[in-house]
Amino acid sequence: MRKTVIAGNWKMNMTPKAAGEFIHALAPMVKGKDKCDVVLCVPFVDIAVAAEAAKGTNIKIGAQNVHFEAKGAFTGEIAADMLLEAGAEYVIIGHSERRQYFGETDETVNLRTKAALAAGLKVILCLGEVKEQRLSGITDEVVAMQTKLDLAGISEEQLKNVIIAYEPVWAIGTGLTATPEQADETCGVIRKTVAAIYSKKAADEITIQYGGSMNDGNAAELLAKANVDGGLIGGASLKTDKFTAIVDAANA
Ligand code: PGA
């Protein structure tokens, strides 16, 4: 009913040369594994090289952020049409590292998401609770609120180009993974929220990924859960064999 998407988030890793070599090595390893979409979200300067290397393969390229204005005096920012022309099809928005270290708020995440969708990019929208929120028992409220704020003003038609990545912040880069039950439950809360904002159809169709220390060892049980439609993978996306093993788990 909905597409499984396995996406790598390289974060601030890999030069353009390394990106090209990685994709040439990965392409034959994931070839024909069509039960999921395979995406790599790479640093801005890697996009053109990565897109060229991915031509004729089933690997799609994404960026890790986009600004909400079309152009102008925004030193250090990147516009959606620049990403598209460089060869990006996807963009990650609202990653917890952007929220934590670079002052992103639900408001800027919403603006960036609207701009990206209007320009024709597909969005991987990240949200999730921090450790204290999970321990206080308010995870459901937090993710429901983020879902509502981040998607404000986005139409049901536009939502077809949105993937939501549920990423508990305490699980990112820590080696701690949500249990499959926790991932399923919280992805389910997000899906219910989408149903409440839009419709049951929209909720049934939207891809909701889990992210946070997903790796070759735990991917199969996480992906087996009904509400988990893929993964957003940081550390394990930097190694062709580990990333391929996750793609394999999604194709089993
Ligand atoms: P991780 O990162 O897999 O290294 O925990 C996931 C993410 O930040 O998207």
Side-chain angles (χ1 to χ4, degrees), residues 51-118:
E52 183 62 31
K55 257 189 202 149
T57 77
N58 57 331
I59 301 168
K60 295 172 170 121
I61 303 303
Q64 299 171 14
N65 195 12
V66 64
H67 194 59
F68 40 84
E69 294 292 346
K71 62 177 178 178
F74 302 100
T75 303
E77 291 286 335
I78 298 277
D81 68 342
M82 298 174 189
L83 297 180
L84 285 161
E85 195 172 315
E89 200 178 317
Y90 290 80
V91 62
I92 293 174
I93 296 179
H95 191 276
S96 70
E97 286 149 20
R98 301 287 325 161
R99 295 179 191 251
Q100 250 180 310
Y101 307 136
F102 302 101
E104 291 277 349
T105 62
D106 287 310
E107 190 185 355
T108 58
V109 168
N110 176 249
L111 288 172
R112 290 180 201 268
T113 301
K114 282 183 189 154
L117 292 171

Short mmCIF file of all heavy atoms in Angstrom, two decimals, residues 51-118:
data_model
loop_
_atom_site.label_atom_id
_atom_site.label_comp_id
_atom_site.label_asym_id
_atom_site.label_seq_id
_atom_site.Cartn_x
_atom_site.Cartn_y
_atom_site.Cartn_z
N ALA A 51 24.86 12.62 -8.15
CA ALA A 51 23.78 12.45 -9.12
C ALA A 51 24.32 11.86 -10.42
O ALA A 51 23.68 11.00 -11.04
CB ALA A 51 23.10 13.79 -9.39
N GLU A 52 25.49 12.29 -10.81
CA GLU A 52 26.12 11.76 -12.03
C GLU A 52 26.44 10.27 -11.84
O GLU A 52 26.14 9.44 -12.69
CB GLU A 52 27.39 12.57 -12.33
CG GLU A 52 28.13 12.19 -13.60
CD GLU A 52 27.31 12.39 -14.87
OE1 GLU A 52 26.47 13.31 -14.88
OE2 GLU A 52 27.48 11.58 -15.82
N ALA A 53 27.01 9.94 -10.70
CA ALA A 53 27.38 8.54 -10.42
C ALA A 53 26.14 7.65 -10.31
O ALA A 53 26.19 6.46 -10.62
CB ALA A 53 28.19 8.47 -9.12
N ALA A 54 25.02 8.24 -9.89
CA ALA A 54 23.80 7.45 -9.68
C ALA A 54 22.96 7.30 -10.95
O ALA A 54 21.97 6.57 -10.94
CB ALA A 54 22.96 8.09 -8.57
N LYS A 55 23.35 8.00 -12.02
CA LYS A 55 22.59 7.91 -13.27
C LYS A 55 22.47 6.47 -13.74
O LYS A 55 23.46 5.74 -13.74
CB LYS A 55 23.30 8.73 -14.37
CG LYS A 55 22.62 10.04 -14.62
CD LYS A 55 23.17 10.75 -15.85
CE LYS A 55 22.86 12.23 -15.70
NZ LYS A 55 23.86 13.09 -16.34
N GLY A 56 21.27 6.05 -14.12
CA GLY A 56 21.09 4.69 -14.63
C GLY A 56 21.04 3.63 -13.54
O GLY A 56 21.00 2.44 -13.82
N THR A 57 21.07 4.05 -12.28
CA THR A 57 20.96 3.11 -11.16
C THR A 57 19.63 3.35 -10.44
O THR A 57 18.91 4.28 -10.78
CB THR A 57 22.10 3.29 -10.12
OG1 THR A 57 21.82 4.45 -9.32
CG2 THR A 57 23.45 3.47 -10.80
N ASN A 58 19.34 2.55 -9.41
CA ASN A 58 18.12 2.79 -8.62
C ASN A 58 18.41 3.63 -7.38
O ASN A 58 17.60 3.67 -6.45
CB ASN A 58 17.46 1.45 -8.24
CG ASN A 58 18.39 0.55 -7.46
OD1 ASN A 58 19.61 0.59 -7.64
ND2 ASN A 58 17.85 -0.28 -6.58
N ILE A 59 19.56 4.30 -7.36
CA ILE A 59 19.90 5.17 -6.22
C ILE A 59 19.46 6.60 -6.53
O ILE A 59 19.73 7.11 -7.61
CB ILE A 59 21.42 5.14 -5.95
CG1 ILE A 59 21.88 3.72 -5.65
CG2 ILE A 59 21.79 6.09 -4.79
CD1 ILE A 59 23.39 3.53 -5.66
N LYS A 60 18.75 7.20 -5.58
CA LYS A 60 18.32 8.59 -5.74
C LYS A 60 19.09 9.48 -4.77
O LYS A 60 19.50 9.02 -3.71
CB LYS A 60 16.83 8.70 -5.49
CG LYS A 60 16.08 7.90 -6.56
CD LYS A 60 14.62 7.78 -6.28
CE LYS A 60 13.93 7.21 -7.49
NZ LYS A 60 13.23 5.97 -7.19
N ILE A 61 19.24 10.73 -5.15
CA ILE A 61 20.09 11.63 -4.37
C ILE A 61 19.25 12.72 -3.70
O ILE A 61 18.32 13.25 -4.28
CB ILE A 61 21.16 12.28 -5.29
CG1 ILE A 61 21.99 11.19 -5.98
CG2 ILE A 61 22.06 13.23 -4.49
CD1 ILE A 61 22.70 10.21 -5.03
N GLY A 62 19.64 13.00 -2.47
CA GLY A 62 18.97 14.07 -1.72
C GLY A 62 19.98 14.98 -1.04
O GLY A 62 21.17 14.66 -0.94
N ALA A 63 19.48 16.13 -0.59
CA ALA A 63 20.28 17.07 0.19
C ALA A 63 19.88 16.96 1.66
O ALA A 63 19.00 16.16 2.01
CB ALA A 63 20.06 18.49 -0.33
N GLN A 64 20.51 17.75 2.50
CA GLN A 64 20.26 17.65 3.95
C GLN A 64 19.60 18.89 4.55
O GLN A 64 19.37 18.97 5.75
CB GLN A 64 21.57 17.38 4.68
CG GLN A 64 22.22 16.07 4.26
CD GLN A 64 23.62 15.92 4.81
OE1 GLN A 64 24.03 16.63 5.72
NE2 GLN A 64 24.37 14.98 4.28
N ASN A 65 19.33 19.88 3.69
CA ASN A 65 18.66 21.09 4.15
C ASN A 65 18.35 21.94 2.93
O ASN A 65 18.92 21.74 1.85
CB ASN A 65 19.56 21.88 5.10
CG ASN A 65 18.81 22.95 5.89
OD1 ASN A 65 17.58 22.97 5.90
ND2 ASN A 65 19.54 23.82 6.54
N VAL A 66 17.44 22.90 3.08
CA VAL A 66 17.13 23.85 2.02
C VAL A 66 16.57 25.11 2.68
O VAL A 66 15.90 25.03 3.71
CB VAL A 66 16.10 23.25 1.03
CG1 VAL A 66 14.77 22.96 1.70
CG2 VAL A 66 15.89 24.15 -0.19
N HIS A 67 16.85 26.25 2.07
CA HIS A 67 16.30 27.49 2.63
C HIS A 67 14.90 27.73 2.08
O HIS A 67 14.52 27.17 1.06
CB HIS A 67 17.20 28.68 2.30
CG HIS A 67 16.85 29.90 3.12
ND1 HIS A 67 16.88 29.88 4.50
CD2 HIS A 67 16.44 31.13 2.77
CE1 HIS A 67 16.51 31.07 4.95
NE2 HIS A 67 16.23 31.85 3.92
N PHE A 68 14.14 28.58 2.79
CA PHE A 68 12.76 28.80 2.36
C PHE A 68 12.59 29.94 1.37
O PHE A 68 11.55 30.05 0.73
CB PHE A 68 11.83 29.00 3.56
CG PHE A 68 12.38 29.81 4.68
CD1 PHE A 68 12.30 31.19 4.65
CD2 PHE A 68 12.99 29.18 5.77
CE1 PHE A 68 12.80 31.94 5.71
CE2 PHE A 68 13.49 29.94 6.82
CZ PHE A 68 13.40 31.32 6.80
N GLU A 69 13.60 30.79 1.24
CA GLU A 69 13.50 31.84 0.23
C GLU A 69 14.08 31.33 -1.08
O GLU A 69 14.94 30.45 -1.10
CB GLU A 69 14.27 33.09 0.67
CG GLU A 69 13.69 33.76 1.90
CD GLU A 69 12.32 34.41 1.67
OE1 GLU A 69 11.92 34.58 0.50
OE2 GLU A 69 11.66 34.75 2.67
N ALA A 70 13.60 31.89 -2.19
CA ALA A 70 14.04 31.42 -3.50
C ALA A 70 15.45 31.89 -3.82
O ALA A 70 16.20 31.21 -4.53
CB ALA A 70 13.08 31.91 -4.57
N LYS A 71 15.83 33.08 -3.34
CA LYS A 71 17.18 33.60 -3.57
C LYS A 71 17.38 34.83 -2.69
O LYS A 71 16.43 35.31 -2.06
CB LYS A 71 17.39 33.97 -5.03
CG LYS A 71 16.46 35.07 -5.51
CD LYS A 71 16.77 35.43 -6.94
CE LYS A 71 15.79 36.51 -7.39
NZ LYS A 71 16.00 36.98 -8.71
N GLY A 72 18.60 35.32 -2.69
CA GLY A 72 18.82 36.58 -2.00
C GLY A 72 19.95 36.55 -0.99
O GLY A 72 20.82 35.69 -1.03
N ALA A 73 19.92 37.53 -0.09
CA ALA A 73 21.01 37.74 0.85
C ALA A 73 20.86 36.83 2.06
O ALA A 73 20.41 37.24 3.13
CB ALA A 73 21.03 39.21 1.27
N PHE A 74 21.21 35.56 1.89
CA PHE A 74 21.13 34.56 2.96
C PHE A 74 22.41 33.74 2.94
O PHE A 74 22.42 32.56 2.56
CB PHE A 74 19.88 33.67 2.78
CG PHE A 74 18.61 34.46 2.76
CD1 PHE A 74 17.98 34.77 1.56
CD2 PHE A 74 18.06 34.95 3.94
CE1 PHE A 74 16.83 35.53 1.54
CE2 PHE A 74 16.90 35.72 3.93
CZ PHE A 74 16.28 36.02 2.73
N THR A 75 23.48 34.40 3.32
CA THR A 75 24.82 33.81 3.24
C THR A 75 24.87 32.41 3.87
O THR A 75 24.42 32.23 4.99
CB THR A 75 25.84 34.73 3.95
OG1 THR A 75 25.78 36.01 3.33
CG2 THR A 75 27.25 34.18 3.87
N GLY A 76 25.38 31.48 3.09
CA GLY A 76 25.55 30.11 3.60
C GLY A 76 24.36 29.21 3.39
O GLY A 76 24.42 28.03 3.72
N GLU A 77 23.28 29.74 2.84
CA GLU A 77 22.08 28.92 2.64
C GLU A 77 21.98 28.47 1.18
O GLU A 77 22.66 29.00 0.30
CB GLU A 77 20.82 29.71 3.04
CG GLU A 77 20.72 29.95 4.53
CD GLU A 77 20.32 28.71 5.33
OE1 GLU A 77 19.68 27.80 4.77
OE2 GLU A 77 20.65 28.66 6.52
N ILE A 78 21.10 27.52 0.92
CA ILE A 78 20.94 26.93 -0.42
C ILE A 78 19.45 26.95 -0.79
O ILE A 78 18.61 26.60 0.03
CB ILE A 78 21.43 25.46 -0.42
CG1 ILE A 78 22.93 25.36 -0.09
CG2 ILE A 78 21.13 24.78 -1.75
CD1 ILE A 78 23.87 25.57 -1.24
N ALA A 79 19.16 27.31 -2.03
CA ALA A 79 17.77 27.37 -2.49
C ALA A 79 17.36 26.07 -3.18
O ALA A 79 18.20 25.34 -3.70
CB ALA A 79 17.58 28.54 -3.44
N ALA A 80 16.05 25.85 -3.19
CA ALA A 80 15.52 24.59 -3.73
C ALA A 80 15.90 24.39 -5.20
O ALA A 80 16.25 23.28 -5.61
CB ALA A 80 14.00 24.57 -3.56
N ASP A 81 15.83 25.46 -6.01
CA ASP A 81 16.13 25.25 -7.44
C ASP A 81 17.61 24.90 -7.66
O ASP A 81 17.95 24.22 -8.62
CB ASP A 81 15.66 26.44 -8.30
CG ASP A 81 16.44 27.71 -8.04
OD1 ASP A 81 17.11 27.82 -6.98
OD2 ASP A 81 16.37 28.62 -8.89
N MET A 82 18.47 25.35 -6.74
CA MET A 82 19.89 24.99 -6.84
C MET A 82 20.06 23.49 -6.60
O MET A 82 20.83 22.82 -7.29
CB MET A 82 20.71 25.76 -5.79
CG MET A 82 20.68 27.26 -5.97
SD MET A 82 21.52 28.06 -4.57
CE MET A 82 21.09 29.76 -4.88
N LEU A 83 19.32 22.99 -5.63
CA LEU A 83 19.41 21.55 -5.32
C LEU A 83 18.90 20.72 -6.49
O LEU A 83 19.52 19.74 -6.89
CB LEU A 83 18.58 21.22 -4.07
CG LEU A 83 19.04 21.88 -2.77
CD1 LEU A 83 18.13 21.45 -1.62
CD2 LEU A 83 20.48 21.51 -2.46
N LEU A 84 17.76 21.15 -7.05
CA LEU A 84 17.18 20.41 -8.16
C LEU A 84 18.12 20.40 -9.36
O LEU A 84 18.36 19.36 -9.98
CB LEU A 84 15.84 21.04 -8.57
CG LEU A 84 14.68 20.74 -7.61
CD1 LEU A 84 13.55 21.74 -7.81
CD2 LEU A 84 14.16 19.31 -7.82
N GLU A 85 18.68 21.57 -9.67
CA GLU A 85 19.56 21.64 -10.84
C GLU A 85 20.83 20.84 -10.63
O GLU A 85 21.38 20.26 -11.57
CB GLU A 85 19.88 23.11 -11.15
CG GLU A 85 20.47 23.27 -12.55
CD GLU A 85 20.62 24.74 -12.93
OE1 GLU A 85 19.68 25.53 -12.70
OE2 GLU A 85 21.68 25.08 -13.47
N ALA A 86 21.30 20.75 -9.39
CA ALA A 86 22.50 19.96 -9.11
C ALA A 86 22.21 18.46 -9.19
O ALA A 86 23.13 17.66 -9.29
CB ALA A 86 23.05 20.33 -7.74
N GLY A 87 20.92 18.08 -9.13
CA GLY A 87 20.59 16.66 -9.27
C GLY A 87 19.92 16.04 -8.06
O GLY A 87 19.73 14.82 -8.01
N ALA A 88 19.55 16.85 -7.08
CA ALA A 88 18.86 16.31 -5.91
C ALA A 88 17.37 16.15 -6.21
O ALA A 88 16.76 16.99 -6.86
CB ALA A 88 19.05 17.22 -4.71
N GLU A 89 16.81 15.05 -5.71
CA GLU A 89 15.38 14.80 -5.86
C GLU A 89 14.68 14.94 -4.50
O GLU A 89 13.51 15.23 -4.41
CB GLU A 89 15.25 13.37 -6.38
CG GLU A 89 13.95 13.03 -7.05
CD GLU A 89 13.97 11.58 -7.57
OE1 GLU A 89 15.01 11.16 -8.15
OE2 GLU A 89 12.98 10.89 -7.36
N TYR A 90 15.45 14.68 -3.44
CA TYR A 90 14.93 14.70 -2.07
C TYR A 90 15.67 15.74 -1.24
O TYR A 90 16.78 16.15 -1.59
CB TYR A 90 15.17 13.34 -1.39
CG TYR A 90 14.33 12.21 -1.92
CD1 TYR A 90 14.66 11.56 -3.10
CD2 TYR A 90 13.20 11.79 -1.22
CE1 TYR A 90 13.87 10.51 -3.59
CE2 TYR A 90 12.42 10.76 -1.69
CZ TYR A 90 12.76 10.12 -2.87
OH TYR A 90 11.99 9.10 -3.34
N VAL A 91 15.06 16.12 -0.12
CA VAL A 91 15.79 16.93 0.85
C VAL A 91 15.31 16.57 2.26
O VAL A 91 14.11 16.40 2.49
CB VAL A 91 15.65 18.44 0.57
CG1 VAL A 91 14.20 18.92 0.65
CG2 VAL A 91 16.52 19.26 1.53
N ILE A 92 16.27 16.39 3.16
CA ILE A 92 15.94 16.20 4.58
C ILE A 92 15.64 17.58 5.17
O ILE A 92 16.39 18.53 4.92
CB ILE A 92 17.14 15.58 5.33
CG1 ILE A 92 17.41 14.15 4.85
CG2 ILE A 92 16.91 15.62 6.85
CD1 ILE A 92 18.69 13.54 5.45
N ILE A 93 14.58 17.69 5.93
CA ILE A 93 14.26 18.95 6.61
C ILE A 93 13.96 18.65 8.09
O ILE A 93 13.28 17.67 8.40
CB ILE A 93 13.08 19.68 5.93
CG1 ILE A 93 13.47 20.08 4.50
CG2 ILE A 93 12.67 20.93 6.74
CD1 ILE A 93 12.39 20.78 3.71
N GLY A 94 14.48 19.50 8.96
CA GLY A 94 14.15 19.40 10.39
C GLY A 94 14.90 18.34 11.14
O GLY A 94 14.45 17.90 12.22
N HIS A 95 16.03 17.91 10.62
CA HIS A 95 16.82 16.92 11.36
C HIS A 95 17.14 17.45 12.76
O HIS A 95 17.37 18.63 12.94
CB HIS A 95 18.11 16.59 10.61
CG HIS A 95 18.79 15.40 11.19
ND1 HIS A 95 19.63 15.51 12.28
CD2 HIS A 95 18.73 14.09 10.89
CE1 HIS A 95 20.05 14.30 12.61
NE2 HIS A 95 19.53 13.42 11.78
N SER A 96 17.17 16.57 13.73
CA SER A 96 17.37 17.02 15.12
C SER A 96 18.69 17.74 15.30
O SER A 96 18.81 18.60 16.17
CB SER A 96 17.26 15.84 16.08
OG SER A 96 18.37 15.00 15.93
N GLU A 97 19.70 17.40 14.48
CA GLU A 97 20.96 18.14 14.60
C GLU A 97 20.80 19.58 14.14
O GLU A 97 21.44 20.49 14.67
CB GLU A 97 22.07 17.40 13.83
CG GLU A 97 22.51 16.15 14.58
CD GLU A 97 22.98 15.01 13.70
OE1 GLU A 97 23.34 15.24 12.53
OE2 GLU A 97 23.01 13.86 14.20
N ARG A 98 19.95 19.82 13.16
CA ARG A 98 19.64 21.20 12.74
C ARG A 98 18.85 21.91 13.85
O ARG A 98 19.08 23.08 14.12
CB ARG A 98 18.81 21.23 11.46
CG ARG A 98 19.42 20.57 10.23
CD ARG A 98 20.56 21.30 9.59
NE ARG A 98 20.46 22.73 9.62
CZ ARG A 98 21.52 23.54 9.43
NH1 ARG A 98 22.72 23.03 9.19
NH2 ARG A 98 21.38 24.84 9.46
N ARG A 99 17.93 21.17 14.47
CA ARG A 99 17.12 21.79 15.53
C ARG A 99 17.98 22.08 16.75
O ARG A 99 17.85 23.13 17.37
CB ARG A 99 15.95 20.86 15.92
CG ARG A 99 14.92 20.62 14.79
CD ARG A 99 13.83 19.66 15.29
NE ARG A 99 12.95 19.17 14.24
CZ ARG A 99 11.66 19.53 14.09
NH1 ARG A 99 11.11 20.40 14.90
NH2 ARG A 99 10.93 19.00 13.13
N GLN A 100 18.88 21.15 17.09
CA GLN A 100 19.71 21.28 18.30
C GLN A 100 20.84 22.28 18.15
O GLN A 100 21.09 23.07 19.04
CB GLN A 100 20.38 19.92 18.58
CG GLN A 100 19.86 19.20 19.80
CD GLN A 100 20.60 17.87 19.96
OE1 GLN A 100 20.73 17.08 19.03
NE2 GLN A 100 21.10 17.64 21.16
N TYR A 101 21.55 22.23 17.03
CA TYR A 101 22.78 23.02 16.91
C TYR A 101 22.61 24.28 16.07
O TYR A 101 23.46 25.15 16.08
CB TYR A 101 23.92 22.19 16.28
CG TYR A 101 24.18 20.87 16.95
CD1 TYR A 101 24.39 19.72 16.19
CD2 TYR A 101 24.24 20.77 18.34
CE1 TYR A 101 24.63 18.50 16.79
CE2 TYR A 101 24.49 19.55 18.94
CZ TYR A 101 24.69 18.41 18.17
OH TYR A 101 24.93 17.21 18.77
N PHE A 102 21.57 24.35 15.25
CA PHE A 102 21.48 25.46 14.31
C PHE A 102 20.15 26.21 14.42
O PHE A 102 19.74 26.89 13.48
CB PHE A 102 21.71 24.96 12.87
CG PHE A 102 23.06 24.30 12.72
CD1 PHE A 102 23.18 22.92 12.71
CD2 PHE A 102 24.21 25.06 12.62
CE1 PHE A 102 24.42 22.30 12.60
CE2 PHE A 102 25.46 24.46 12.51
CZ PHE A 102 25.56 23.08 12.50
N GLY A 103 19.50 26.08 15.57
CA GLY A 103 18.35 26.92 15.86
C GLY A 103 17.10 26.68 15.03
O GLY A 103 16.24 27.56 14.95
N GLU A 104 16.99 25.53 14.38
CA GLU A 104 15.76 25.25 13.62
C GLU A 104 14.59 25.09 14.59
O GLU A 104 14.71 24.46 15.63
CB GLU A 104 15.89 23.94 12.85
CG GLU A 104 16.85 23.99 11.72
CD GLU A 104 16.27 24.58 10.45
OE1 GLU A 104 15.03 24.78 10.36
OE2 GLU A 104 17.08 24.87 9.56
N THR A 105 13.46 25.64 14.20
CA THR A 105 12.25 25.50 15.01
C THR A 105 11.17 24.87 14.11
O THR A 105 11.34 24.79 12.89
CB THR A 105 11.74 26.88 15.45
OG1 THR A 105 11.42 27.63 14.26
CG2 THR A 105 12.79 27.63 16.25
N ASP A 106 10.06 24.50 14.73
CA ASP A 106 8.98 23.96 13.90
C ASP A 106 8.53 24.98 12.86
O ASP A 106 8.13 24.61 11.76
CB ASP A 106 7.81 23.54 14.79
CG ASP A 106 8.12 22.27 15.56
OD1 ASP A 106 8.57 21.29 14.95
OD2 ASP A 106 7.94 22.25 16.79
N GLU A 107 8.66 26.26 13.19
CA GLU A 107 8.26 27.30 12.24
C GLU A 107 9.19 27.32 11.02
O GLU A 107 8.71 27.36 9.87
CB GLU A 107 8.28 28.66 12.95
CG GLU A 107 7.66 29.75 12.11
CD GLU A 107 7.79 31.13 12.76
OE1 GLU A 107 8.27 31.23 13.90
OE2 GLU A 107 7.40 32.09 12.09
N THR A 108 10.50 27.28 11.24
CA THR A 108 11.40 27.30 10.07
C THR A 108 11.34 25.97 9.32
O THR A 108 11.47 25.94 8.09
CB THR A 108 12.87 27.61 10.47
OG1 THR A 108 13.33 26.64 11.43
CG2 THR A 108 13.01 28.99 11.04
N VAL A 109 11.11 24.89 10.05
CA VAL A 109 10.96 23.58 9.40
C VAL A 109 9.75 23.62 8.46
O VAL A 109 9.80 23.16 7.32
CB VAL A 109 10.82 22.46 10.45
CG1 VAL A 109 10.38 21.14 9.82
CG2 VAL A 109 12.14 22.28 11.21
N ASN A 110 8.69 24.22 8.94
CA ASN A 110 7.47 24.34 8.13
C ASN A 110 7.71 25.21 6.89
O ASN A 110 7.31 24.85 5.78
CB ASN A 110 6.34 24.91 9.00
CG ASN A 110 5.07 25.17 8.23
OD1 ASN A 110 4.68 26.31 8.02
ND2 ASN A 110 4.42 24.11 7.76
N LEU A 111 8.41 26.33 7.08
CA LEU A 111 8.69 27.22 5.94
C LEU A 111 9.56 26.51 4.90
O LEU A 111 9.31 26.59 3.70
CB LEU A 111 9.41 28.49 6.42
CG LEU A 111 8.58 29.50 7.20
CD1 LEU A 111 9.47 30.59 7.80
CD2 LEU A 111 7.50 30.12 6.31
N ARG A 112 10.58 25.81 5.38
CA ARG A 112 11.48 25.10 4.47
C ARG A 112 10.72 24.00 3.73
O ARG A 112 10.92 23.77 2.53
CB ARG A 112 12.66 24.50 5.24
CG ARG A 112 13.65 25.54 5.76
CD ARG A 112 14.80 24.86 6.53
NE ARG A 112 15.47 25.76 7.45
CZ ARG A 112 16.55 26.51 7.16
NH1 ARG A 112 17.09 26.44 5.97
NH2 ARG A 112 17.10 27.30 8.07
N THR A 113 9.84 23.31 4.45
CA THR A 113 9.08 22.22 3.83
C THR A 113 8.18 22.77 2.72
O THR A 113 8.11 22.21 1.62
CB THR A 113 8.25 21.47 4.90
OG1 THR A 113 9.15 20.96 5.89
CG2 THR A 113 7.47 20.32 4.30
N LYS A 114 7.50 23.86 3.01
CA LYS A 114 6.62 24.46 2.00
C LYS A 114 7.42 24.87 0.76
O LYS A 114 6.98 24.64 -0.37
CB LYS A 114 5.94 25.71 2.57
CG LYS A 114 4.77 25.41 3.49
CD LYS A 114 4.16 26.74 3.90
CE LYS A 114 3.14 26.59 4.97
NZ LYS A 114 3.01 27.81 5.75
N ALA A 115 8.56 25.51 0.98
CA ALA A 115 9.38 25.98 -0.15
C ALA A 115 9.89 24.79 -0.98
O ALA A 115 9.88 24.82 -2.22
CB ALA A 115 10.55 26.81 0.35
N ALA A 116 10.33 23.75 -0.30
CA ALA A 116 10.86 22.58 -1.01
C ALA A 116 9.78 21.92 -1.85
O ALA A 116 10.01 21.56 -3.02
CB ALA A 116 11.43 21.58 0.00
N LEU A 117 8.59 21.77 -1.28
CA LEU A 117 7.49 21.12 -2.00
C LEU A 117 7.05 21.97 -3.19
O LEU A 117 6.80 21.44 -4.28
CB LEU A 117 6.32 20.85 -1.06
CG LEU A 117 6.57 19.80 0.02
CD1 LEU A 117 5.43 19.79 1.03
CD2 LEU A 117 6.76 18.41 -0.59
N ALA A 118 6.98 23.28 -2.98
CA ALA A 118 6.56 24.17 -4.06
C ALA A 118 7.54 24.09 -5.24
O ALA A 118 7.15 24.21 -6.40
CB ALA A 118 6.46 25.61 -3.55
#
